[in-house]
Amino acid sequence: MSKSSEATGIAVLGMQWGDEGKGKIIDLLSKEARHIARAQGGNNAGHTIIAEGKEFKFHLVPSGILYPHTKCYIGGGAVLDPSSFLEELGGLKKSAVSFEKRLFLSHYAHVVLPYHRLIDQFMEKERGAGAVGTTGRGIGPCYADKVARIGVRVADLIHPESFKSKLEAVLKIKNQQLQKLYGHSPLEFSPIYREYVEYGERLKPFAAPVEEFLYQAGRKRERTLFEGAQGALLDITFGTYPFVTSSCTLSGGVLSGLGIGPSQIQRVVGVAKAYSTRVGNGPFPTELKSEELALFPDHTASREIGTTTGRKRRMGWFDAFLLRHTAHLNGVDALALMKLDILDGLDEIKICTGYKRTPTFPASDEELKKVEPIYESHPGWKEATGHIRVYDDLPSKAKAYLRRIEEACEIPIAIISVGPEREKTIWLDPLFTDY
Ligand code: GDP
Ligand code: IMO
Ligand code: MG
């Protein structure tokens, strides 16, 4: 498989701090795709889709599941909380969305256990003012156990004998931690074992050699989407550490998380909002001052309330300096620019083009906290854009804003989103170019 000529995979990745609108883009592209795979993260993610007037929120299930012709995969690099996953399936069943024989779970994915959630919450409490602001879903502790080689995987869970010995060993370690560090009473083996053996039975029909399936899809040149979770600045290595999640959220993570080679990715689409948001703690150079925030639609109207935790997202101006950096980390070749409509009512819109005396994006969170953004001011278009479907019909000031973003980020925009619904989309590039 040579890269650009034959590969039929598109990676869709968040360019900011998550919640850019990846779910909407995956749903749109799924209409023309056969396979959709999630490589990393867990139920810390929340991807919202509005399809035919109905709202869906996905945490672990790939956002392509709404189209019955697709096959969806959760890869070995993801972490799976079985109760959350099964709850999600229950929701799909209620909405009459089929998933039997078209949703597959890698044997290599690690399992979130009750002590992961407890430890996540205890660690956050202990950090006090320095808390990361995690989703409390046990994601960090689960990934930590994976690296410490004391994790439990789907492959273990579906084999009760193997699960038993692994859980016995790890629970000893975890109970010491819970008791000695956090003064928590030890967790009993039997209830956890029983609960998770039952989960194992329910997960068994989904467990599959996802890596091989994706390889075969690539060989047959079937269109595949790789759905990112979180965003580039939440990446465990290159994000705003330590205020990050615990997985690789970049295009590199797609490969390592699914067990595929780079030749399976044809294009990398970076999803970014026409402004910025962040949920949780950590530096945010272009964060709005309260008087600026007051000029934006409120959090409910702008849909800036976290899908997973219900927290209000912090909001900021578009940061082109940051975006250029995250696009380079991912090898992005097209942008999906989301939520343009949220800026419709503003008199003035700012773009950050750099930070004073800062030639490259700072690695240190202390440094990033202190940077002084350089802003350019753009006049607002003061017109609704939600009804517009063709680029030429956009107000000229909106077009100038978009052109400036493309120029400052040095990446063409392929999709402009002007509302949460499927149809509220302006296509400049169909993205799938294989046939
Ligand atoms: P994800 O995690 O990247 O999939 O993004 P989320 O779903 O967590 O957050 C994006 C929110 O914005 C959701 O509520 C979407 O329904 C909504 N949304 C997506 N695109 C647009 C858009 O163009 N305009 C508006 N107003 N809302 C959008
Ligand atoms: P999607 O896929 C936005 C943030 C949390 C916190 C940090 C670490 O919907 O874009 P964790 O629970 O992962 O250990 O929390 O990462 N975070 C997200 N923020 N969108 C997400 O996912 C996120 N997943 C984690 O708020 O700051
Ligand atoms: Mg989200």
Side-chain angles (χ1 to χ4, degrees):
M1 283 178 281
S2 79
K3 190 176 181 311
S4 53
S5 59
E6 288 186 41
T8 49
I10 297 182
V12 175
L13 301 164
M15 290 293 101
Q16 294 156 327
W17 281 281
D19 301 326
E20 296 89 350
K22 300 174 291 292
K24 172 173 170 172
I25 296 300
I26 287 285
D27 172 65
L28 285 174
L29 291 172
S30 294
K31 194 173 176 199
E32 305 289 337
R34 286 285 291 278
H35 308 275
I36 299 95
R38 259 282 296 273
Q40 44 71 228
N43 61 331
N44 49 348
H47 300 178
T48 314
I49 288 155
I50 302 182
E52 288 155 19
K54 200 166 171 354
E55 184 164 309
F56 295 88
K57 291 177 192 290
F58 295 114
H59 300 286
L60 270 158
V61 174
S63 304
I65 199 82
L66 296 179
Y67 283 101
H69 64 264
T70 61
K71 288 191 169 150
C72 294
Y73 308 86
I74 299 171
V79 291
L80 182 109
D81 184 325
S83 64
S84 164
F85 177 66
L86 292 166
E87 197 183 314
E88 222 174 310
L89 297 189
L92 287 176
K93 214 170 206 167
K94 256 196 213 147
S95 305
V97 177
S98 79
F99 50 81
E100 276 93 8
K101 298 203 171 61
R102 59 186 203 93
L103 177 60
F104 304 100
L105 184 54
S106 170
H107 293 105
Y108 295 90
H110 277 247
V111 176
V112 177
L113 283 132
Y115 48 78
H116 291 134
R117 286 189 296 266
L118 273 175
I119 291 169
D120 192 357
Q121 286 152 24
F122 278 127
M123 282 181 77
E124 281 286 272
K125 223 184 266 168
E126 208 162 60
R127 286 189 194 109
V132 174
T134 71
T135 60
R137 300 293 190 268
I139 306 298
C142 183
Y143 276 115
D145 281 2
K146 171 179 177 172
V147 177
R149 294 161 293 191
I150 52 170
V152 170
R153 301 183 300 173
V154 169
D156 304 315
L157 202 61
I158 61 178
H159 297 110
E161 274 317 302
S162 151
F163 175 51
K164 190 169 186 220
S165 59
K166 291 208 162 123
L167 184 65
E168 269 165 358
V170 70
L171 203 56
K172 271 191 204 132
I173 302 170
K174 295 297 157 184
N175 275 337
Q176 292 226 10
Q177 195 177 347
L178 284 170
Q179 282 176 285
K180 289 187 184 155
L181 293 182
Y182 307 120
H184 193 276
S185 48
L187 300 179
E188 268 183 72
F189 171 82
S190 298
I192 302 178
Y193 180 68
R194 275 200 304 271
E195 181 185 351
Y196 276 72
V197 165
E198 196 197 315
Y199 290 148
E201 274 164 28
R202 295 175 66 191
L203 292 181
K204 219 176 196 165
F206 299 97
V210 164
E211 308 68 38
E212 183 59 24
F213 287 178
L214 291 174
Y215 178 76
Q216 295 302 342
R219 268 181 75 93
K220 287 187 257 170
R221 303 191 63 236
E222 291 174 346
R223 288 172 168 184
T224 304
L225 295 170
F226 303 109
E227 176 173 356
Q230 290 82 49
L233 289 170
L234 292 173
D235 179 72
I236 184 66
T237 305
F238 296 103
T240 48
Y241 192 87
F243 301 97
V244 294
T245 190
S246 298
S247 64
C248 176
T249 62
L250 307 176
S251 54
V254 169
L255 306 179
S256 61
L258 291 169
I260 58 166
S263 57
Q264 281 192 239
I265 301 185
Q266 180 197 22
R267 301 190 75 173
V268 179
V269 177
V271 188
K273 280 175 182 160
Y275 48 98
S276 308
T277 63
R278 166 163 212 167
V279 60
N281 304 328
F284 186 178
T286 63
E287 188 162 14
L288 298 179
K289 298 187 190 87
S290 55
E291 61 274 20
E292 292 171 320
L293 183 63
L295 302 172
F296 274 70
D298 69 30
H299 281 79
T300 307
S302 62
R303 304 177 67 84
E304 293 303 0
I305 295 179
T307 312
T308 300
T309 55
R311 291 176 290 180
K312 279 187 182 169
R313 295 176 185 144
R314 297 156 66 193
M315 295 174 69
W317 297 114
F318 187 84
D319 189 339
F321 184 62
L322 172 156
L323 212 104
R324 217 162 41 226
H325 169 64
T326 57
H328 294 178
L329 291 172
N330 280 290
V332 166
D333 46 29
L335 280 181
L337 202 82
M338 313 301 288
K339 307 193 80 160
L340 188 73
D341 54 301
I342 300 302
L343 305 179
D344 284 350
L346 299 182
D347 289 320
E348 182 197 14
I349 304 169
K350 291 183 189 168
I351 296 181
C352 166
T353 55
Y355 307 148
K356 287 180 189 161
R357 301 172 297 280
T358 312
T360 54
F361 197 81
S364 142
D365 63 308
E366 287 303 324
E367 207 181 318
L368 195 59
K369 243 194 313 201
K370 292 189 207 128
V371 294
E372 295 172 51
I374 303 162
Y375 286 115
E376 15 171 270
S377 171
H378 291 257
W381 42 92
K382 309 277 286 175
E383 267 178 66
T385 53
H387 61 286
I388 296 174
R389 303 289 172 264
V390 179
Y391 179 78
D392 286 343
D393 294 344
L394 282 169
S396 57
K397 286 175 182 149
K399 284 191 272 198
Y401 180 70
L402 294 166
R403 277 198 302 269
R404 182 64 186 124
I405 286 179
E406 281 186 319
E407 184 187 72
C409 300
E410 298 170 341
I411 308 164
I413 296 174
I415 300 173
I416 300 159
S417 176
V418 290
E421 297 85 1
R422 282 175 173 166
E423 59 278 10
K424 293 195 174 167
T425 308
I426 300 169
W427 291 85
L428 300 174
D429 172 348
L431 293 174
F432 279 118
T433 51
D434 50 330
Y435 47 83

